[in-house]
Amino acid sequence: MENRSSQINAGALVRRERRLAYKLLLPTFLLVLGVVLFPLFANFWISFKPVLLADLRSPELSIREKVLSASETKSDIVRLEYRYRNPSKKYNLTEVKFDDRVPDGASVQEVDPRCKIKVDLMPRVISCELGALEPKARGRVAVTLAFYEPVLARQLLLKTKPEASFQTKNVLTSFEFTLSNYFKLFSSAEFWNVLKITIYYTVFGTAGALLMGLFAAQIMRSVFPGRAIVRGFLLFPYVAPVIAVAFSWVVLFDPFSGVINHLLIEMGEIKQPINFFGQRTVEVELFGHKFNLPLALSMVILFEIWRYFPLSFLFILARMQSIPKDVYEAAEMDGASPLQQFWFLSLPNIVGILAILFLLRFIWTFNKFDDIFLLTGGNAGTRTLTVNVYEQAFAVSNLGAGAAVASVVFAILLSVSGIFIYFLPKDHG
Amino acid sequence: MKFWMTGLFGAMVAGGVWTVLWHVIISILAVLMWGIPVSLQIASTLIAGMLAGAFVVSKYPRKGYTYNLLGLTITAFLILIFTFGQPFKFSTEMIDWKAHLLLFLHVGFSWWCITSVVKDIKIGQNQKYLIEKFYLNLLWGLGLIIFLLIVFVPFYIMIVTSLKSQQSLLLNPLDLSVDFRAGYSKLFGSYIELFTEYNFLTYLLNSFLVSISTVAITLIFSIPGAYAVSRLRFPGRKWFSGSILTIYLIPAIVLVIPLYALFSQIGLRNSLLGLCVVYPATTIPVALYMLQGYFSSLPRELDDAALIDGLSRAQIITKIALPLSMPAIASVSLYVFMIAWNEFLFAFMFLDDVNLFTLSRGIVSLDSSEVPRQHLMAGSVVATIPVLIIFLWFERYLVSGLTTGSVKG
């Protein structure tokens, strides 16, 4: 009996713990849901819609009914006026119309030519077609009603409210879908070019940063005076704001006032200044072969390597320093050369972290927007998918097309990381 | 006998590489210091350096004044001979002492580097171990110098440009010295102008406000969450701790269009509050992950003892877990601060109102042809300094934060 009750208590404790855990995690979950997962879903939603940037503001038509006749006295002729206005500063309203019920016991004596009386409907309806309305445009529609019996005009207004309708451009929340964003995207030659550039950028940027990081880690492994300072210094490119370092590169390589160009000219290496971030290709002669080097793209990749090698360096160094020293001492005793030590001792130990770093850096380079946007604005053959998202959505002002590109970004990302995780060495994951 | 294992070949490679490297560096320095055109003579210095290397390895023992003096003289002669008496080919007439100084520096640095690499390598065949060590040493030295240079140059350009006036920038872009005699008001002219005319004080305050709020919100959300994941048993715990980091891999560019649309509709777009909602959502997952790892490393017995003593879970978090995990909280805070401070995309997309600009957003608005370059660089320095101070001050904490959490770039 006692045993049973303690079990029940334990069950209650477990439940309480569970409830507490959920309570503690709920705020995080909600925030992530609202700001990450919902937008992720919404992005797919938008990508199937013909949404333009201008559609974000929901348009409306303001319409008021005004009695022109004296409202306090009863009369059988009542003159009404509908005053309408497009309150938006930017957007046109098209196919604007409004309907209003003709009050019981009244006939329409005189009406604006834009309006029709629908007599087949009971009660009868005045239906006015106002056409298109420019931003801030306003207008009036006059109606004269004849009543069989004198009425108090003020009461009429309460009964009848005009119902306005117009072609709404707010397609965000509607259930109309279209594949045209995707059709346009995949059928344009630009997209495939952008994809190619993205792949170049990601692969070379990732591999370069990893190799440089490995090299830097090898250098920083040996003990020398000032090593701690140098290590901190090498992390500068990574911790400094992207905006600062990107602009300092732009200034450094500027074709008119940049140091590099002037230096090369003064030293007689080049005749004309080179627009490093603005020139698509440059002809390079290497061992007698001439070929076109994509200049701006290479510069952007170099920046990527420069900015992110510290991260790989940090990870690889941490992993290397955790390898016990006596392993190397033993290898040294056995006569292993430094290269052999690297190849057979260090490399197997860091291959796990290299794989993880490659995955993470690959994903983040693929996702990278700021760097290229700040360096070249996506011009001169450096437009990657992420820059294209911005370009489509905000420069061309086609949110739907931008969202379609973003969806493609996400889909590629998902499949690439899936493949990676499948092949990742399991013991290090 | 493999040729690359002989000391002679190795020393010639080292001599060639070091002499050319210093030739390039010193030529560039000469151009920068005096603004006088110098053309490079790679091939000549390469041959001279290789011969100097051969000399280094041929002599034994390799120390003492006479050895070094002899070596220095021979290197200098070699360089002079192969460059036809003009080690630095100036396109204009040059005062002698400058040429002498450059030659002196070039010879000195090259000689020092070659001898410290070659050390006790034999001229003939060497042991595999020794010769590999030699090549790696050579690579080590080269690598160190190259890494230091490539990291240093962009930051140096940033600082120097920000201290220049428009005239001196146009007059001689290669003059990279800082003229301290000009007086502080002239030296820091760009900074003064940024703060008086370009609203930078507001940007700075906005950046601080947003970053500190982000840190606070992140901690408020992630500390209880991390505690729950590390200490409490509930279904889905494994799944949660495993999948929370994947949130971090979702690209911001995928979120920016819907968030832009949504925030425009509900009026959060052009506001700092909007940023304070978005930034924590991107930083909480990693903060939670980092803190969770740290909480798990604390002994569980502490919690049990506290529970027996009658503390509630909330009290355990505030009185036991928090004080014990201050180092982890510090590194998380610094890391989150840095992310929020450096963030560009959302600030750029969301903020239209000049009074709401953060530093990132404000600096982008300086990137136009109407604003002089030194202002742009001064703005960059203003944005960089707080992060670098924090980084240098708390490097220990930050490095651990970077390695545990910084999958983000």
Side-chain angles (χ1 to χ4, degrees):
Chain A
M1 194 65 203
E2 208 183 306
N3 193 14
R4 216 181 123 85
S5 82
S6 78
Q7 263 180 12
I8 291 169
N9 277 341
L13 265 180
V14 166
R15 271 203 301 278
R16 215 165 70 192
E17 197 169 310
R18 192 184 299 169
R19 265 206 307 275
L20 179 69
Y22 288 143
K23 233 186 274 174
L24 292 179
L25 282 171
L26 189 66
T28 299
F29 184 71
L30 288 180
L31 188 71
V32 168
L33 191 73
V35 183
V36 180
L37 297 180
F38 169 70
L40 194 62
F41 165 76
N43 185 72
F44 285 104
W45 178 275
I46 295 173
S47 74
F48 287 106
K49 290 182 160 296
V51 190
L52 300 180
L53 194 56
D55 299 332
L56 286 184
R57 187 164 303 171
S58 56
E60 51 185 331
L61 178 78
S62 88
I63 184 160
R64 277 185 313 130
E65 197 177 359
K66 184 142 177 147
V67 179
L68 296 180
S69 322
S71 56
E72 294 305 321
T73 52
K74 286 191 171 188
S75 67
D76 48 2
I77 299 288
V78 176
R79 291 203 299 128
L80 285 177
E81 201 172 74
Y82 295 98
R83 297 182 177 176
Y84 58 89
R85 187 166 68 89
N86 175 7
S88 159
K89 281 180 196 156
K90 279 186 188 160
Y91 308 116
N92 288 318
L93 299 179
T94 51
E95 298 175 39
V96 180
K97 46 184 134 174
F98 73 88
D99 289 348
D100 200 6
R101 234 180 67 190
V102 178
D104 296 333
S107 66
V108 178
Q109 198 177 46
E110 205 183 323
V111 75
D112 193 278
R114 288 170 291 179
C115 299
K116 275 187 224 129
I117 316 295
K118 290 183 183 162
V119 281
D120 49 327
L121 287 172
M122 276 312 275
R124 284 158 303 157
V125 165
I126 308 177
S127 181
C128 302
E129 296 201 358
L130 307 174
L133 275 187
E134 303 263 284
K136 287 276 162 205
R138 50 178 74 228
R140 302 167 178 207
V141 173
V143 180
T144 310
L145 297 174
F147 284 84
Y148 307 123
E149 288 168 23
V151 288
L152 201 58
R154 199 166 33 140
Q155 286 171 346
L156 285 173
L157 293 179
L158 296 172
K159 281 188 203 157
T160 61
K161 280 238 184 269
E163 277 171 27
S165 79
F166 49 86
Q167 198 53 44
T168 169
K169 284 223 171 160
N170 191 0
V171 285
L172 266 183
T173 45
S174 72
F175 284 92
E176 283 170 50
F177 297 104
T178 164
L179 281 173
S180 70
N181 289 325
Y182 287 99
F183 277 132
K184 264 186 220 150
L185 185 66
F186 291 129
S187 61
S188 72
E190 194 208 358
F191 171 76
W192 300 104
N193 193 32
V194 163
L195 188 65
K196 206 172 76 187
I197 288 169
T198 313
I199 291 169
Y200 278 138
Y201 174 69
T202 312
V203 169
F204 286 110
T206 308
L210 219 58
L211 285 178
M212 286 286 277
L214 186 60
F215 189 22
Q218 282 293 330
I219 289 172
M220 297 305 293
R221 236 188 73 198
S222 51
V223 183
F224 58 93
R227 174 169 162 231
I229 297 168
V230 173
R231 189 187 73 160
F233 181 67
L234 287 190
L235 294 176
F236 272 22
Y238 181 68
V239 293
V242 59
I243 184 131
V245 286
F247 281 137
S248 75
W249 271 58
V250 169
V251 167
L252 182 63
F253 288 97
D254 192 281
F256 305 109
S257 59
V259 172
I260 299 283
N261 266 310
H262 276 266
L263 209 54
L264 289 175
I265 289 174
E266 297 277 290
M267 290 180 155
E269 301 297 314
I270 53 172
K271 299 273 177 295
Q272 291 286 317
I274 302 175
N275 190 354
F276 283 98
F277 287 112
Q279 198 172 323
R280 192 175 285 266
T281 53
V282 67
E283 199 171 68
V284 181
E285 203 180 318
L286 200 64
F287 307 122
H289 289 282
K290 276 189 182 169
F291 64 96
N292 280 331
L293 180 80
L295 182 64
L297 183 62
S298 307
M299 289 304 297
V300 168
I301 290 173
L302 279 185
F303 179 82
E304 169 77 19
I305 295 173
W306 178 83
R307 185 158 149 73
Y308 295 103
F309 87 84
L311 188 75
S312 323
F313 149 69
L314 205 59
F315 274 86
I316 296 169
L317 187 63
R319 185 71 192 92
M320 274 181 172
Q321 284 172 338
S322 71
I323 305 171
K325 282 224 167 47
D326 42 355
V327 181
Y328 286 99
E329 281 161 16
E332 199 119 314
M333 291 289 231
D334 292 344
S337 72
L339 267 184
Q340 283 172 326
Q341 287 180 26
F342 173 75
W343 196 254
F344 295 109
L345 275 180
S346 307
L347 212 54
N349 269 301
I350 57 171
V351 75
I353 193 74
L354 284 180
I356 293 172
L357 270 176
F358 189 81
L359 170 66
L360 295 180
R361 284 310 321 154
F362 191 93
I363 292 174
W364 276 106
T365 312
F366 191 82
N367 291 350
K368 205 75 231 161
F369 166 79
D370 316 4
D371 304 35
I372 293 185
F373 180 75
L374 290 170
L375 289 173
T376 65
N379 299 317
T382 60
R383 183 167 302 170
T384 56
L385 280 171
T386 48
V387 179
N388 205 25
V389 172
Y390 172 83
E391 212 41 53
Q392 297 287 340
F394 296 99
V396 185
S397 302
N398 190 344
L399 282 187
V405 183
S407 300
V408 171
V409 169
F410 189 70
I412 294 177
L413 204 61
L414 213 58
S415 36
V416 166
S417 17
I419 294 168
F420 263 119
I421 288 165
Y422 185 77
F423 286 109
L424 205 66
K426 287 289 176 294
D427 49 328
H428 296 285
Chain B
M1 180 163 149
K2 288 172 184 156
F3 72 93
W4 61 269
M5 280 174 79
T6 59
L8 183 63
F9 178 77
M12 282 170 80
V13 170
V17 167
W18 278 120
T19 316
V20 169
L21 182 72
W22 284 112
H23 175 71
V24 172
I25 292 177
I26 289 171
S27 303
I28 290 175
L29 278 180
V31 178
L32 295 184
M33 270 191 299
W34 297 310
I36 304 159
V38 178
S39 47
L40 293 178
Q41 304 175 86
I42 305 274
S44 319
T45 41
L46 182 70
I47 297 168
M50 284 163 77
L51 292 177
F55 169 77
V56 170
V57 80
S58 66
K59 276 285 190 190
Y60 209 82
R62 292 172 195 142
K63 51 173 134 160
Y65 288 113
T66 41
Y67 170 70
N68 277 320
L69 269 179
L70 185 63
L72 283 167
T73 325
I74 287 179
T75 312
F77 266 112
L78 284 170
I79 291 173
L80 277 174
I81 288 166
F82 283 98
T83 56
F84 307 108
Q86 276 190 307
F88 293 91
K89 213 186 248 166
F90 301 114
S91 55
T92 52
E93 278 305 306
M94 179 75 171
I95 309 164
D96 273 349
W97 68 267
K98 285 182 179 170
H100 292 322
L101 176 68
L102 292 181
L103 180 65
F104 182 74
L105 286 176
H106 184 195
V107 170
F109 278 124
S110 307
W111 176 256
W112 178 61
C113 287
I114 299 167
T115 47
S116 51
V117 170
V118 170
K119 272 191 226 154
D120 41 11
I121 294 289
K122 283 186 292 181
I123 186 162
Q125 187 84 345
N126 278 280
Q127 276 181 328
K128 198 175 174 201
Y129 181 88
L130 279 180
I131 199 78
E132 272 186 18
K133 196 128 199 156
F134 159 79
Y135 281 116
L136 289 180
N137 275 339
L138 179 61
L139 263 182
W140 183 88
L142 279 176
L144 189 63
I145 287 187
I146 289 171
F147 272 113
L148 288 178
L149 272 181
I150 59 170
V151 172
F152 177 74
V153 167
F155 285 98
Y156 184 69
I157 291 289
M158 188 157 93
I159 294 169
V160 167
T161 312
S162 75
L163 296 175
K164 293 259 160 201
S165 68
Q166 183 73 8
Q167 289 152 304
S168 61
L169 264 185
L170 289 176
L171 214 61
N172 187 3
L174 287 179
D175 178 18
L176 289 183
S177 56
V178 179
D179 188 9
F180 285 106
R181 288 163 303 173
Y184 289 113
S185 62
K186 207 163 179 193
L187 205 57
F188 295 103
S190 299
Y191 294 89
I192 294 166
E193 207 163 313
L194 281 187
F195 278 96
T196 52
E197 282 167 41
Y198 286 89
N199 226 358
F200 253 61
L201 191 62
T202 318
Y203 303 167
L204 198 64
L205 290 178
N206 285 340
S207 268
F208 268 112
L209 186 71
V210 170
S211 308
I212 289 171
S213 316
T214 304
V215 171
I217 297 171
T218 304
L219 288 181
I220 290 169
F221 277 63
S222 61
I223 289 173
Y227 184 82
V229 174
S230 69
R231 277 290 189 270
L232 305 176
R233 276 155 300 178
F234 60 95
R237 176 178 147 187
K238 272 247 164 67
W239 172 84
F240 194 90
S241 68
S243 60
I244 188 76
L245 261 189
T246 55
I247 296 291
Y248 211 43
L249 299 179
I250 295 174
I253 197 81
V254 177
L255 309 180
V256 82
I257 292 175
L259 283 176
Y260 185 93
L262 179 70
F263 280 20
S264 303
Q265 308 272 342
I266 60 178
L268 269 180
R269 190 174 67 77
N270 191 11
S271 75
L272 293 181
L273 185 65
L275 293 185
C276 292
V277 171
V278 175
Y279 290 177
T282 58
T283 55
I284 283 174
V286 78
L288 206 149
Y289 179 79
M290 286 161 78
L291 286 174
Q292 173 232 160
Y294 198 85
F295 284 158
S296 304
S297 73
L298 298 176
R300 221 192 169 90
E301 288 74 22
L302 282 175
D303 286 35
D304 296 340
L307 276 178
I308 290 167
D309 286 347
L311 260 64
S312 69
R313 287 285 183 182
Q315 283 171 316
I316 291 177
I317 294 179
T318 53
K319 293 201 171 140
I320 294 177
L322 269 189
L324 282 177
S325 50
M326 264 327 188
I329 290 177
S331 69
V332 168
S333 311
L334 293 170
Y335 181 61
V336 169
F337 182 91
M338 242 171 58
I339 291 185
W341 183 273
N342 291 353
E343 208 283 335
F344 165 72
L345 176 61
F346 285 106
F348 177 67
M349 292 291 183
F350 284 2
L351 302 178
D352 299 330
D353 182 354
V354 179
N355 290 316
L356 295 178
F357 279 6
T358 58
L359 274 176
S360 300
R361 182 68 186 85
I363 292 168
V364 177
S365 67
L366 292 183
D367 181 31
S368 77
S369 51
E370 288 130 51
V371 183
R373 285 296 189 190
Q374 66 271 23
H375 286 20
L376 185 67
M377 289 294 95
S380 302
V381 172
V382 171
T384 310
I385 283 176
V387 188
L388 282 194
I389 289 177
I390 289 176
F391 171 70
L392 291 176
W393 210 273
F394 301 101
E395 195 192 327
R396 204 159 38 95
Y397 293 125
L398 250 178
V399 165
S400 68
L402 286 171
T403 42
T404 38
S406 65
V407 281
K408 179 156 188 161

